[in-house]
């Protein structure tokens, strides 16, 4: 965890060669949607990572437009959803301005709502990955995802 993408992928390639194909393959501590795509491409089946929940507690939310820091002043008067293309209950009911207000006021509800959103976002990405695998188009999906949502969009934002 924390090494460059290429180094992590080289290590995964080496490790996964040693694991039986008929057994589930688990990777702990990874990470961004692009990290997950890299791992799935190499044969990893299961993941767990604190990133979606830890970042949510620090006002960072994952969207297909990138990571947003909800403490930033730019959101103070933004009454749109955190992510316009998100189907989660938080995005349906609460604005960026409200979420920002919760964090600025140090209200725990801000962390709870952003955690819900981030978990929904990750669940949706995983659902799309499963669908692409089932349709036998995972590599095309991965390429489309990487092209559209490149690595820079999932760079972890600095905390304020």
């Amino acid at each position: 965890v924390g090494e460059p993408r290429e180094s992590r992928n080289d290590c995964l390639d080496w490790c996964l060669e040693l694991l039986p194909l008929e057994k589930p393959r688990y990777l702990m501590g990874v990470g961004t949607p692009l990290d997950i795509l890299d791992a799935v491409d190499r044969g990893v089946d299961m993941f767990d990572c604190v990133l979606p929940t830890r970042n949510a507690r620090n006002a960072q939310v994952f969207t297909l437009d990138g990571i947003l820091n909800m403490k930033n002043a730019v959101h103070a008067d933004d009454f749109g959803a955190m992510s316009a293309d998100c189907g989660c209950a938080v995005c349906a009911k609460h604005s960026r301005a409200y979420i920002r207000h919760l964090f600025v006021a140090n209200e725990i509800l801000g962390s709870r709502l952003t955690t819900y959103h981030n978990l929904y976002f990750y669940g949706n990405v995983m659902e799309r990955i499963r669908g692409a695998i089932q349709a036998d188009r995972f590599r095309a999906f991965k390429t489309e995802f990487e092209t559209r949502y490149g690595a820079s969009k999932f760079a972890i934002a600095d905390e304020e």
Side-chain angles (χ1 to χ4, degrees):
V1 176
E3 65 279 342
R5 185 178 182 188
E6 185 177 307
S7 297
R8 184 204 55 241
N9 289 340
D10 289 345
C11 183
L12 271 176
D13 290 337
W14 180 81
C15 291
L16 292 172
E17 281 182 23
L18 304 173
L19 298 175
L21 287 173
E22 68 277 2
K23 299 282 186 177
R25 295 161 171 220
Y26 165 72
L27 181 61
M28 184 188 330
V30 172
T32 69
L34 294 176
D35 295 339
I36 291 170
L37 284 167
D38 284 343
V40 168
D41 197 17
R42 287 163 170 75
V44 174
D45 302 298
M46 298 178 293
F47 305 87
D48 84 48
C49 184
V50 300
L51 195 64
T53 55
R54 183 190 62 215
N55 284 33
R57 290 190 305 273
N58 289 293
Q60 294 177 358
V61 294
F62 286 85
T63 74
L64 290 176
D65 294 321
I67 297 174
L68 303 177
N69 187 329
M70 298 311 299
K71 289 181 182 177
N72 289 349
V74 70
H75 304 299
D77 295 319
D78 187 342
F79 296 98
M82 285 188 296
S83 181
D85 55 1
C86 181
C88 83
V90 175
C91 287
K93 296 177 184 173
H94 304 291
S95 69
R96 289 182 183 196
Y98 178 64
I99 300 295
R100 179 184 186 273
H101 159 74
L102 293 172
F103 277 101
V104 170
N106 212 20
E107 290 286 342
I108 193 70
L109 182 59
S111 294
R112 292 180 69 191
L113 294 176
T114 53
T115 295
Y116 180 95
H117 166 82
N118 280 356
L119 292 175
Y120 182 93
F121 174 83
Y122 267 73
N124 183 266
V125 169
M126 294 306 295
E127 188 175 303
R128 293 172 65 193
I129 290 171
R130 279 190 300 275
I133 291 169
Q134 290 168 344
D136 198 27
R137 62 173 312 274
F138 173 76
R139 290 271 167 86
F141 172 79
K142 181 178 185 250
T143 300
E144 291 163 12
F145 196 96
E146 289 174 329
T147 301
R148 184 167 179 196
Y149 309 114
S152 63
K153 289 193 175 191
F154 293 108
I156 306 303
D158 292 327
E159 292 181 38
E160 288 187 330

